Amino acid sequence: MRSSDVQVKNRDLVYYERYLRIQRERARRLVREDLIEEHRLKPLGHHSDALARLAFILGNGPHAGKYAIRVVEPFKAYKIVSFSGVRGVPPTTVDETTYASPDEAYHAIFLRRLADITR
């Protein structure tokens, strides 16, 4: 690999990090209590324009560290896991909280993503 190829890849990473930082700032400005409540009531499906924008920004980004739902017991128990971003490395359980429905787990992921952008 040539030195110029490495420089281009590094520059791409710099711009990607800048893009993610700008998106996090944009998401912080969009957060409102009514949007959080709207998501709690209906975590999946059609949302208002403001919530759809916020959810898109929160769900965008690198695969490593993304949250997902693991079914512990079908229709009864769900946990949140986080992807490693490395092929062959399984997701890790985020905490020991168990959710009774997928909707509760999806909303918990939404709240975690909101907490992540405020750090």
Side-chain angles (χ1 to χ4, degrees):
M1 184 178 283
R2 298 182 319 215
S3 170
S4 62
D5 292 341
V6 173
Q7 288 176 346
V8 169
K9 286 184 180 183
N10 289 341
R11 196 174 321 142
D12 287 345
L13 291 175
V14 168
Y15 285 118
Y16 183 61
E17 287 297 322
R18 183 182 302 163
Y19 166 77
L20 291 176
R21 188 175 64 250
I22 290 168
Q23 290 295 82
R24 285 190 297 268
E25 282 298 319
R26 184 174 289 149
R28 284 186 201 113
R29 290 191 305 264
L30 291 173
V31 177
R32 298 188 322 246
E33 288 297 321
D34 61 319
L35 296 180
I36 295 171
E37 181 63 14
E38 178 186 347
H39 189 275
R40 185 187 68 76
L41 295 173
K42 188 177 178 187
L44 297 176
H46 185 71
H47 296 122
S48 67
D49 186 52
L51 180 55
R53 287 173 192 262
L54 179 60
F56 176 79
I57 293 170
L58 293 176
N60 209 359
H63 191 69
K66 279 201 174 184
Y67 299 114
I69 298 173
R70 174 179 284 155
V71 178
V72 178
E73 187 177 345
F75 308 106
K76 292 184 181 178
Y78 305 86
K79 289 190 181 269
I80 297 175
V81 296
S82 176
F83 292 119
S84 68
V86 178
R87 185 180 297 271
V89 177
T92 57
T93 303
V94 173
D95 62 19
E96 293 306 312
T97 306
T98 302
Y99 301 93
S101 72
D103 285 352
E104 286 180 24
Y106 281 119
H107 187 63
I109 288 174
F110 180 77
L111 295 176
R112 281 189 176 276
R113 288 177 178 163
L114 288 177
D116 289 348
I117 65 165
T118 59
R119 286 189 233 161

